[in-house]
Amino acid sequence: MNLSDIKNQALNLEINLEKLSDTIEGLDKCNFIIMEWVQFSSNLLITSAIEGNPEGALHIIKMLKKDTIKVSNSYIQALRNINFRECFYTLANLKGTYEYFNIDKFIKQFDICDNVIFKLARNVENSRIAKLMLDTFYEISELNKQYDLIRSDINQIKKVSDKLIGENNSDGLQIRLLNENNEVSNLITNVQLIQLIYNNINLVLGIEGEELKYSRVESGSLELFLIGGATTFVALKPMLEFGYKVYSEQFSKKSRLETIEKDIKVRGEYLKLLKEAGELKGDNDQIQRILLDLELNIKKLYSENPCIVLDNNVIGLHELKNKSVAIKLLEQEEEHKQELDNVVVN
């Protein structure tokens, strides 16, 4: 798992928490009713004690008794007016997920709150109402603390990741190889393949001086934030998308049943994408050799990494994300390869 995974978890959790915000805000307003009453009552009692007037104290006690009944009824009614139904659906989908944010503890506290609110709302014994109100006030306060803590954790993760990852560079390219092979040789092979694809595109488009660099590299599953020629990336991204689409389709049942009818001109599509990115340089033979190299290197990249993330979009076969594929399974039939060699450049 990478830092970007944790950030994505934070962003997804933030969206789900937003669905609970009205309920949490409603519970907070309910508790504010009690807090206002406590402050008002405390002020009256302190003032009465300072003045030392017995008749005034008796009047205050009667007033507090009347006010307490009014406040308790208002508190219970406000709790009854809160709609918990959608919250339970949202929380059921969150259970057991978002391990970095302790969401299960929050869900457990939500259940506790629901239970004490239910008891208070259904209570008919005056002798129990004081304790039930205190229990409810405490559990709601605890729920709000946990909610605020999760929101704070989400914001901290966003700040840290934005600091380390930085803003997305629209002129760059993000590539994440989901195969978590941590061998150094595998790392070198993958980086070299990406470099070769980049260099060949530069060569066929006649681009010079635009070296491929990285702004950040993250391990776990290798994630590269690349910077280089904007025109080169205009061609590279759709070429990878097309190549991964083609090679993934070769594993489908339908594809295996229709191999005779398949006539996928991979190099022809690459040629089209290159022409869309810029003017081609070199003669027909040179361009054919470069197209062959591009096809081979993208095929090798797919073979080592059947599923990758390209600018936050997953391409390839997710079920093979942590596997490699024998490159011979991606080879076209010989008769089709001969057809592909006859791609017309002009």
Side-chain angles (χ1 to χ4, degrees), residues 315-346:
I315 60 175
L317 291 175
H318 193 267
E319 58 268 32
L320 298 178
K321 69 174 185 177
N322 208 27
K323 300 179 183 294
S324 58
V325 174
I327 199 166
K328 64 181 180 180
L329 297 177
L330 307 176
E331 299 288 351
Q332 300 287 339
E333 298 293 335
E334 191 62 34
E335 60 188 86
H336 293 303
K337 289 176 71 175
Q338 291 174 2
E339 291 179 21
L340 297 179
D341 288 334
N342 295 324
V343 172
V344 179
V345 173
N346 298 320

Side-chain angles (χ1 to χ4, degrees), residues 39 91-92:
Q39 185 177 11
L91 292 172

Side-chain angles (χ1 to χ4, degrees), residues 165 168 173-174 213-217 223-227:
I165 297 173
N168 287 335
L173 189 70
Q174 172 202 6
K213 301 177 182 179
Y214 63 88
S215 59
R216 192 175 72 87
V217 177
E223 187 169 21
L224 299 165
F225 292 79
L226 302 173
I227 51 178

